[in-house]
Amino acid sequence: MTTQKKQDPRSIRSKRAFKEAVVEILIENPDISKLTVQKIAKRAELNRATFYLHFLDINDLLKQVVYDIFDDLLSKMSPTLQIDNLNNQEQLITFLDYFYKHRKILAVLFEHPGFNKKMHMTLKDLIVIQRKSEGVDSTNTTLSMDILASSILGIIMWWLRNGVHFSSEYIASQIIELYR
């Protein structure tokens, strides 16, 4: 019988504080090269030693922030993909609402190619899941899935940078109109 070790609540709070601090700093100044452990620790109101108890370095912290974003996004999307009577527009609005809610940090992360590649793969996976739920065989349409994922990613990036005054409902309707 395998037992999972329960995490110390202080450790959980410290990690969360560091993650929130780095997000706040990046929203203020998206230049990752200006990040220092000292700045992050000061914003988190913790010390550098505590930082190194939880993270190897700043890149490790950033990687964990990105993983959290993807885990959160997938946990928000998975239930909507399982509901048979939910239409594509409602799913897309739920998806876009997540991006709108987290637009400030996502706009910073979209500047980095690794994040874009991971987001593209996630979008493609979500499209494949959606197509399977609709009974569409997508095994021979890898290129079209890539093009569709790239297009949606491009629209989302434009929306977060230039068009946040448009609602997620409006953007969803425009995406659906494009792909009819």
Side-chain angles (χ1 to χ4, degrees):
M1 182 152 122
T2 308
T3 58
Q4 286 187 330
K5 188 176 177 183
K6 187 175 178 180
Q7 275 196 318
D8 179 6
R10 292 171 298 176
S11 175
I12 294 168
R13 280 192 301 273
S14 295
K15 283 183 179 180
R16 185 179 330 123
F18 283 122
K19 289 175 182 179
E20 289 171 357
V22 77
V23 166
E24 290 171 8
I25 292 168
L26 285 173
I27 288 170
E28 291 169 9
N29 180 4
D31 187 357
I32 288 178
S33 68
K34 301 282 188 212
L35 281 177
T36 65
V37 172
Q38 187 62 39
K39 284 180 186 176
I40 297 167
K42 184 177 178 181
R43 179 66 64 101
E45 297 180 348
L46 296 165
N47 62 43
R48 291 178 49 149
T50 305
F51 178 91
Y52 288 111
L53 282 174
H54 302 292
F55 307 101
L56 297 172
D57 55 20
I58 292 173
N59 287 329
D60 185 38
L61 170 59
L62 291 172
K63 197 181 306 181
Q64 288 191 34
V65 167
V66 169
Y67 288 151
D68 288 350
I69 288 170
F70 281 104
D71 289 345
D72 193 33
L73 177 62
L74 292 174
S75 73
K76 297 272 189 283
M77 286 309 299
S78 292
T80 65
L81 292 171
Q82 306 307 317
I83 301 171
D84 292 336
N85 63 354
L86 194 62
N87 70 34
N88 289 342
Q89 186 161 359
E90 290 174 61
Q91 289 176 345
L92 193 51
I93 290 169
T94 301
F95 185 71
L96 292 171
D97 283 344
Y98 179 86
F99 280 89
Y100 188 80
K101 180 180 176 186
H102 301 286
R103 66 190 174 278
K104 290 180 180 177
I105 188 60
L106 288 168
V108 172
L109 294 173
F110 275 132
E111 298 299 318
H112 302 282
F115 182 82
N116 288 344
K117 183 176 181 182
K118 175 78 171 144
M119 183 57 69
H120 177 270
M121 290 171 29
T122 301
L123 281 170
K124 185 177 169 184
D125 290 345
L126 290 172
I127 292 166
V128 168
I129 291 168
Q130 177 61 36
R131 294 282 168 103
K132 283 183 182 175
S133 74
E134 294 171 352
V136 177
D137 180 23
S138 56
T139 54
N140 295 327
T141 57
T142 303
L143 180 59
S144 65
M145 295 297 122
D146 277 326
I147 292 169
L148 186 55
S150 294
S151 300
I152 293 171
L153 183 58
I155 291 167
I156 291 170
M157 290 169 67
W158 172 85
W159 180 46
L160 295 180
R161 288 183 185 134
N162 306 310
V164 290
H165 56 281
F166 292 110
S167 69
S168 50
E169 291 82 6
Y170 176 78
I171 297 297
S173 69
Q174 295 301 302
I175 290 172
I176 289 171
E177 190 65 33
L178 274 174
Y179 295 103
R180 283 191 181 180

